[in-house]
């Protein structure tokens, strides 16, 4: 196949490209410039898409003997990922920029251009596997559960899966990938993995949002509506947050309180006991299927609400208005805006953006 290898500058994408070359494919490397003013150097494992990353990707491509290009996707990244991130927080939701990047950039904008240029598939260093099932191509978890990235790929649809290539999916561990990189003479063999949000490399999400949308004083209230503190912008809080609340009124039982809800219209943050974070039902209208969809409108599955969260047994209901999921045991700290990925066994069935949550703990309990 003619394969376009997305090379981030990290060890995973470099080894994935190397395996594609070794498999006999015609491979071209490309690094995506996602910022018009990218930093020169990374800070440890924070951030990505710096000039240093682009140079690391180029060195890996040179070592593999493949053509290499840098494509400027900064405008599309700003519109589809950064602006979406800001607007979602302003709406009182908790977005996942990695999901949006995979959906809008790596497997939409990049894949579309790759197909236009005559490539058969885009190769990435994601840890996931593709399996030919009875109803077509299926997305499954990676062999190494600790590195499995099928959650962040749950946004891919059947057409996109048909043009993707994940050479690392059956690799038993990340240590194997690093050892292979060293054997191949790739200088990124021991490069740290990227963490946190790539466009907020210092990790200060609240400060970054304050610079973008400003501050506005509002109330922090308990579940009864009593004011227990104040804040400088509801966008700086997310469900499940405990630190940085600075409450002026202690809880009656003296226990810590957590953010339970963010109300952007009234600029109000609702806090309460940890037990109140338990969610008994979630639903969302924006959903997609990773390959063939479910055969029935009601089915048993597992639901996962974060990249490294434990999947929880659940029952899903598909209606004309979207997807509703009732877990067998309450989910912890779910926020509107998060992505729920549905699995049947190791297979990713699909995903939806959580619009509404129903607490498993009534007010007053």
């Amino acid at each position: 196949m003619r394969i376009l290898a997305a090379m981030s500058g990290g060890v995973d994408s470099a080894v994935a490209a190397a395996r594609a070359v070794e498999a006999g494919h015609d491979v071209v490397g490309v690094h995506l410039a996602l910022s018009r003013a990218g930093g020169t150097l990374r800070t440890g494992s924070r951030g990505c898409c710096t000039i240093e990353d682009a140079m690391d990707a180029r060195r890996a491509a040179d070592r593999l003997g493949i053509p290499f290009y840098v494509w400027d996707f900064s405008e599309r990244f700003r519109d589809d990922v950064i602006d979406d991130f800001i607007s979602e927080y302003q709406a009182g939701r908790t977005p996942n920029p990695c999901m949006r990047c995979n959906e809008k950039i790596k497997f939409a904008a990049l894949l579309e251009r790759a197909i236009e240029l005559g490539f058969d598939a885009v190769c990435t260093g994601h840890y996931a596997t593709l399996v030919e099932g009875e109803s077509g191509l299926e997305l499954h978890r990676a062999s190494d559960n600790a590195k499995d990235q099928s959650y962040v790929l749950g946004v891919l649809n059947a057409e996109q899966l048909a043009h993707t290539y994940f050479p690392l999916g059956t690799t038993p561990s990340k240590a194997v990938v690093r050892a292979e990189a060293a054997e191949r003479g790739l200088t990124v063999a021991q490069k740290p993995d990227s963490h946190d949000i790539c466009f907020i490399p210092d990790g200060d999400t609240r400060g970054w949002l304050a610079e973008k949308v400003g501050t506005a004083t509002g109330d922090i209230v308990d579940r009864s509506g009593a004011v227990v503190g104040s804040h400088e912008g509801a966008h700086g809080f997310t469900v499940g947050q405990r630190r940085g609340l600075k409450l002026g009124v202690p809880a009656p039982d003296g226990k810590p309180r957590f953010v339970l809800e963010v109300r952007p219209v009234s600029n109000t943050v609702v806090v309460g006991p940890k037990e109140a974070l338990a969610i008994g039902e979630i639903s969302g209208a924006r959903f997609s299927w990773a390959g063939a969809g479910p055969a029935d409108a009601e089915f048993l599955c597992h639901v996962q609400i974060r990249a490294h969260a434990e999947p929880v047994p659940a029952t899903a209901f598909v209606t004309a208005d979207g997807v509703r999921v009732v877990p067998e045991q309450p989910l912890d700290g779910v926020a509107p805006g998060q992505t729920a990925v549905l699995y049947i066994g190791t297979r990713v069935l699909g995903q939806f953006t959580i619009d509404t949550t129903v607490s498993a703990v009534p007010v007053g309990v």
Side-chain angles (χ1 to χ4, degrees):
M1 296 189 296
R2 287 198 72 212
I3 289 182
L4 186 67
M7 304 182 71
S8 66
V11 62
D12 292 328
S13 60
V15 171
R19 291 186 181 182
V21 171
E22 190 171 63
H25 300 300
D26 179 11
V27 182
V28 173
V30 62
H31 178 80
L32 303 184
L34 302 180
S35 172
R36 289 288 176 89
T40 302
L41 300 173
R42 298 167 96 234
T43 303
S45 61
R46 290 188 178 276
C48 66
C49 313
T50 63
I51 295 174
E52 178 187 354
D53 292 312
M55 294 304 296
D56 284 341
R58 180 177 294 278
R59 281 189 286 269
D62 289 344
R63 179 69 181 177
L64 299 176
I66 62 174
F68 177 81
Y69 301 91
V70 175
W71 288 356
D72 183 359
F73 274 33
S74 58
E75 185 173 341
R76 182 75 179 262
F77 185 76
R78 181 198 64 206
D79 294 343
D80 290 341
V81 180
I82 298 178
D83 288 353
D84 174 79
F85 182 83
I86 295 171
S87 63
E88 285 288 273
Y89 261 102
Q90 287 179 301
R93 298 156 65 89
T94 302
N96 186 323
C98 293
M99 301 292 283
R100 295 289 80 78
C101 186
N102 281 333
E103 177 186 15
K104 301 292 187 179
I105 306 300
K106 295 176 182 175
F107 296 98
L110 177 61
L111 184 55
E112 288 167 7
R113 183 178 294 186
I115 292 174
E116 288 175 357
L117 293 174
F119 289 93
D120 299 303
V122 166
C123 166
T124 72
H126 286 98
Y127 288 77
T129 57
L130 295 174
V131 176
E132 191 64 47
E134 294 181 0
S135 302
L137 203 60
E138 299 174 351
L139 176 64
H140 285 253
R141 291 190 185 276
S143 298
D144 179 10
N145 194 57
K147 290 298 296 179
D148 173 58
Q149 293 175 298
S150 60
Y151 172 87
V152 296
L153 298 172
V155 291
L156 304 188
N157 57 39
E159 183 177 355
Q160 291 169 329
L161 289 176
H163 295 283
T164 57
Y165 184 47
F166 302 129
L168 304 188
T170 58
T171 306
S173 71
K174 180 63 174 272
V176 171
V177 171
R178 291 196 181 279
E180 181 177 333
E183 290 174 4
R184 293 180 182 276
L186 298 171
T187 59
V188 292
Q190 298 305 319
K191 186 174 181 178
D193 292 339
S194 295
H195 298 296
D196 300 312
I197 301 171
C198 68
F199 51 87
I200 311 179
D202 64 1
D204 182 11
T205 301
R206 181 185 291 190
W208 186 87
L209 284 167
E211 290 182 1
K212 300 297 181 182
V213 303
T215 59
T217 302
D219 291 331
I220 299 177
V221 302
D222 63 18
R223 299 182 88 193
S224 70
V227 176
V228 294
S230 64
H231 62 79
E232 295 183 350
H235 57 264
F237 297 84
T238 187
V239 171
Q241 179 178 331
R242 174 186 172 185
R243 297 182 181 278
L245 300 183
K246 300 179 181 178
L247 303 178
V249 179
D253 58 7
K255 293 182 179 180
R257 285 184 284 201
F258 298 77
V259 174
L260 304 181
E261 184 183 354
V262 178
R263 299 172 180 170
V265 174
S266 61
N267 194 29
T268 303
V269 175
V270 182
V271 297
K274 182 176 177 60
E275 294 76 20
L277 289 171
I279 297 298
E281 182 179 312
I282 58 176
S283 60
R286 294 177 289 174
F287 65 92
S288 64
W289 305 119
D296 301 311
E298 177 182 338
F299 55 92
L300 298 177
C301 62
H302 280 74
V303 61
Q304 187 171 327
I305 58 169
R306 282 182 286 272
H308 301 293
E310 285 293 324
V312 176
T315 302
F317 304 85
V318 182
T319 68
D321 297 324
V323 181
R324 181 170 64 91
V325 173
V326 179
E328 288 187 6
Q329 59 194 61
L331 303 172
D332 182 42
V334 186
Q338 287 179 247
T339 300
V341 176
L342 305 181
Y343 290 82
I344 294 182
T346 62
R347 181 192 170 192
V348 176
L349 185 63
Q351 61 82 38
F352 64 92
T353 301
I354 299 170
D355 293 325
T356 59
T357 63
V358 177
S359 177
V361 180
V363 176
V365 175

